[in-house]
Amino acid sequence: MVVEITNDVQSLLLIMLAVMVAKMVGDFFSASLYSSLLRLKCIPYLDVEPFVHHRRERLNLELFSARDVMEPHVRVLHLRENIASLAWLLASTSHGGFPVVGRPKPDHAQVFQGTIKRLELCMLLENEHIFEPETSNESFSFSHPLTYEKITVEKLPKPSRLAVLLNRYTTDPRYQQLFINLEPYINKSAMSVQAHFSLQRTYIIFRTLGLRHLTVVDLQNRVVGVITRKDLMPLPLEERLRLQLSPQSPDAGE
């Protein structure tokens, strides 16, 4: 801009040098306005590289695993979910998404099938015609599922109406006998990592793909935890890794 105003091309190198030096000096003495606004608004922004220190030494995240930072107490949903239980879960939690588990075969254990967002669950509960009564087996009819456009929204159109519906579903006894089939609506392409997966690579995957939730599974593909963006922020990450590095008590192995 200065060159265009003055039409002095000969001073271009000096102008660029002055701007670069001014920026370096400003960054050295204070954080950028952009970073300050992110912290002020509590936006969970992840840096390109995680900088975690312990006793003034930078930790190598390759030496840690996903289980070290995951939240082990996970609220999971089933492919065949009760309406009253689902409404109570949405009313009592603020989670943005949930892992969904199911049995590949009747005699198998519940394994990870995919994830579903909170907004999608809310939109499903506003359509009572897809509710089905309890049956003796786990089979469901797939007739007339809702379209992708109908359940994928950025925000709830009528939050007050949803609050009324959740209250009715949790208090009316007849909804304890009704179920919903979540299989047509879950994200079966959702990422998951095993519990022993490298924490450094977990961070890279999470940030590169722009994830909000990352499910952690064991060797049998059973859900054992979940990692959210806030778990990978510098301070929470440092706190959890400090617990892993703290010396165990003398009677810990007894």
Side-chain angles (χ1 to χ4, degrees):
M1 293 177 62
V2 176
V3 173
E4 292 180 356
I5 293 174
T6 61
N7 198 22
D8 189 0
V9 183
Q10 296 180 353
S11 303
L12 178 61
L13 182 59
L14 294 176
I15 294 173
M16 292 177 60
L17 180 61
V19 171
M20 292 176 60
V21 172
K23 183 181 185 304
M24 292 174 61
V25 172
D27 292 342
F28 179 79
F29 286 102
S30 63
S32 65
L33 178 61
Y34 179 72
S35 301
S36 301
L37 289 175
L38 289 177
R39 295 191 182 96
L40 184 62
K41 295 183 178 181
C42 299
I43 298 176
Y45 175 77
L46 299 181
D47 294 324
V48 177
E49 287 289 335
F51 295 96
V52 183
H53 295 83
H54 180 66
R55 295 179 180 176
R56 298 183 180 180
E57 293 184 2
R58 183 176 177 182
L59 297 179
N60 183 5
L61 298 191
E62 287 286 358
L63 303 178
F64 300 90
S65 60
R67 74 166 75 246
D68 295 329
V69 299
M70 71 180 187
E71 173 56 49
H73 306 290
V74 190
R75 299 291 186 91
V76 298
L77 298 177
H78 302 82
L79 293 178
R80 185 173 182 266
E81 191 63 44
N82 178 262
I83 297 299
S85 300
L86 183 58
W88 179 87
L89 180 63
L90 292 179
S92 59
T93 64
S94 58
H95 303 327
F98 301 90
V100 182
V101 298
R103 302 181 188 274
K105 295 182 180 179
D107 56 340
H108 286 198
Q110 301 273 4
V111 296
F112 178 65
Q113 299 287 336
T115 60
I116 189 167
K117 297 179 181 178
R118 182 184 188 89
L119 285 176
E120 295 171 347
L121 291 172
C122 294
M123 296 304 296
L124 291 175
L125 290 180
E126 290 189 357
N127 295 268
E128 291 194 37
H129 66 276
I130 63 174
F131 300 168
E132 299 186 18
E134 184 177 11
T135 56
S136 58
N137 52 31
E138 296 188 0
S139 62
F140 261 94
S141 63
F142 291 89
S143 59
H144 306 296
L146 298 179
T147 61
Y148 175 83
E149 292 77 11
K150 194 166 184 179
I151 66 170
T152 305
V153 295
E154 295 185 358
K155 62 180 181 179
L156 291 176
K158 296 180 180 180
S160 58
R161 168 179 163 79
L162 177 65
V164 174
L165 288 177
L166 294 181
N167 181 65
R168 186 172 70 192
Y169 294 157
T170 54
T171 56
D172 194 334
R174 67 190 182 96
Y175 289 102
Q176 298 179 2
Q177 310 300 324
L178 294 178
F179 292 78
I180 185 172
N181 180 21
L182 297 179
E183 187 171 358
Y185 311 107
I186 65 174
N187 177 18
K188 297 183 179 180
S189 301
M191 286 290 301
S192 65
V193 296
Q194 293 190 352
H196 62 270
F197 197 77
S198 162
L199 180 56
Q200 175 72 28
R201 302 182 189 187
T202 299
Y203 187 97
I204 294 174
I205 291 175
F206 200 101
R207 188 183 186 279
T208 304
L209 297 181
L211 302 178
R212 296 183 59 188
H213 311 89
L214 182 60
T215 306
V216 183
V217 298
D218 60 10
L219 295 177
Q220 288 75 38
N221 201 31
R222 296 173 299 189
V223 177
V224 294
V226 65
I227 298 175
T228 64
R229 185 173 293 267
K230 292 183 178 180
D231 295 326
L232 298 179
M233 294 291 291
L235 288 180
L237 188 60
E238 188 172 326
E239 287 293 331
R240 295 206 176 190
L241 295 186
R242 184 182 293 118
L243 294 177
Q244 299 296 325
L245 295 171
S246 60
Q248 296 182 354
S249 58
D251 56 347
E254 297 180 0

